[in-house]
Amino acid sequence: ALNPWDVMLCVSGTAIACENALVVAIICYSPALRTPMFVLVGSLATADLLAGLGLILNFVFQYVIRSETVSLLTVGFLVASFAASVSSLLAITVDRYLSLYNALTYYSERTVLCIHTMLAGAWGVSLCLGLLPVLGWNCLHDRATCSVVRPLTKSNVTLLSASFFLIFLIMLHLYIEICKIVCRHAHQIALQQHFLTASHYVATKKGVSTLAIILGTFGASWLPFAIYCVVGDPDYPSVYTYATLLPATYNSMINPIIYAYRNQEIQRSMWVLFCGCFQAKVSFRSRSPSDV
């Protein structure tokens, strides 16, 4: 019999794959979208696309082709994809911080090299994490070592959860620093104009609120699952694992809305891609990497 939780994960994976496939297609289709910011957004969309496909494949192989080897491969694929997604979010946060902290030198070749190095490291580490269960770090032959996410071991999910907590703390610190920089810039503008205008106050408040929403969405999606992986026991009902894992997948569904579809360059490329009738008189403001 079909498990309704597995069906929901498959539906979630389908939505994730469709959303992010569109973002990847737009970025690949538009030569203008080659700046470091869009490279990072493309990396995030690619990781989420693979995660969505992984959820679909996991459902298919679970009910059509039952094999321990296939199960390990799909779990490893999902671990690598979601790890790359979280790592890409960290890279985007670092990029936003650098675009504000080093605004004068941000568009240098050094920044491009830094971005590509971060992405190479993020995908390399994610691939290694995904290969661990395939290379033997699993509980197929020792059920006592199983975690709440079979066939991953307790030590494996503890490592993954610890890595997530570290990334979350780094992102929290960087977003706090970004808020300080934004508020400092608003204060400097106010001093130059001798008073803080309503527009400056609204813009600052909007920027800080957006940062809070981004970080809050990320934490609300992943923190329950990461905490449950540490404190949960494999003897607990599987519904607890599903109930914390499903919201984590929603983060990959929300990412394209936050980081791609709100960007007006991508909106313009969508007009060109789907309509072919983009009018030059329509004004689009290209967002800077620091826009939130």
Side-chain angles (χ1 to χ4, degrees):
L2 287 177
N3 186 334
W5 288 100
D6 289 328
V7 175
M8 286 190 287
L9 284 175
C10 183
V11 172
S12 177
T14 303
I16 291 170
C18 293
E19 279 185 297
N20 289 280
L22 177 59
V23 176
V24 174
I26 291 172
I27 293 178
C28 293
Y29 172 82
S30 306
L33 305 181
R34 297 292 184 269
T35 62
M37 176 182 64
F38 291 112
V39 171
L40 292 171
V41 173
S43 172
L44 176 62
T46 302
D48 287 334
L49 170 61
L50 294 177
L53 294 176
L55 290 173
I56 298 172
L57 292 176
N58 183 65
F59 177 83
V60 172
F61 291 138
Q62 185 174 355
Y63 289 96
V64 179
I65 305 175
R66 296 190 175 184
S67 168
E68 291 185 349
T69 302
V70 173
S71 175
L72 282 177
L73 290 175
T74 54
V75 169
F77 185 79
L78 283 171
V79 170
S81 301
F82 281 117
S85 175
V86 173
S87 300
S88 297
L89 287 174
L90 175 61
I92 290 176
T93 306
V94 173
D95 175 68
R96 285 179 166 176
Y97 173 74
L98 292 177
S99 67
L100 289 171
Y101 185 75
N102 296 322
L104 297 179
T105 60
Y106 175 79
Y107 291 98
S108 64
E109 294 182 0
R110 183 178 179 182
T111 301
V112 176
L113 178 62
C114 177
I115 296 299
H116 286 93
T117 302
M118 279 197 304
L119 288 181
W123 280 91
V125 172
S126 301
L127 180 61
C128 291
L129 291 175
L131 287 175
L132 289 178
V134 179
L135 296 178
W137 203 0
N138 57 71
C139 64
L140 292 180
H141 304 293
D142 187 4
R143 298 292 179 180
T145 63
C146 280
S147 67
V148 295
V149 184
R150 295 180 178 88
L152 299 182
T153 64
K154 295 178 182 178
S155 55
N156 194 343
V157 297
T158 300
L159 172 64
L160 294 174
S161 297
S163 301
F164 167 79
F165 292 138
L166 177 61
I167 290 176
F168 182 76
L169 289 176
I170 294 175
M171 290 178 62
L172 177 61
H173 172 72
L174 290 176
Y175 275 128
I176 291 175
E177 293 299 318
I178 290 174
C179 289
K180 290 181 180 178
I181 295 174
V182 171
C183 294
R184 190 182 309 127
H185 287 177
H187 181 67
Q188 291 173 350
I189 294 175
L191 291 178
Q192 292 175 0
Q193 298 183 355
H194 305 293
F195 62 93
L196 182 63
T197 63
S199 61
H200 293 151
Y201 173 78
V202 172
T204 303
K205 183 179 179 180
K206 180 181 177 181
V208 174
S209 300
T210 304
L211 291 176
I213 292 173
I214 291 174
L215 190 63
T217 301
F218 176 64
S221 299
W222 277 105
L223 277 176
F225 180 67
I227 295 174
Y228 181 69
C229 284
V230 176
V231 303
D233 188 273
D235 294 329
Y236 291 169
S238 60
V239 65
Y240 296 157
T241 302
Y242 283 114
T244 53
L245 176 59
L246 188 62
T249 65
Y250 292 159
N251 186 68
S252 296
M253 197 182 303
I254 298 172
N255 283 338
I257 300 174
I258 295 178
Y259 296 97
Y261 295 134
R262 291 175 61 248
N263 186 280
Q264 294 187 350
E265 289 290 343
I266 290 183
Q267 292 174 8
R268 176 170 61 180
S269 298
M270 289 178 63
W271 276 96
V272 175
L273 181 63
F274 289 111
C275 300
C277 57
F278 177 75
Q279 299 177 0
K281 64 180 181 180
V282 180
S283 176
F284 286 89
R285 183 182 65 85
S286 177
R287 294 187 174 209
S288 67
S290 60
D291 284 353
V292 291

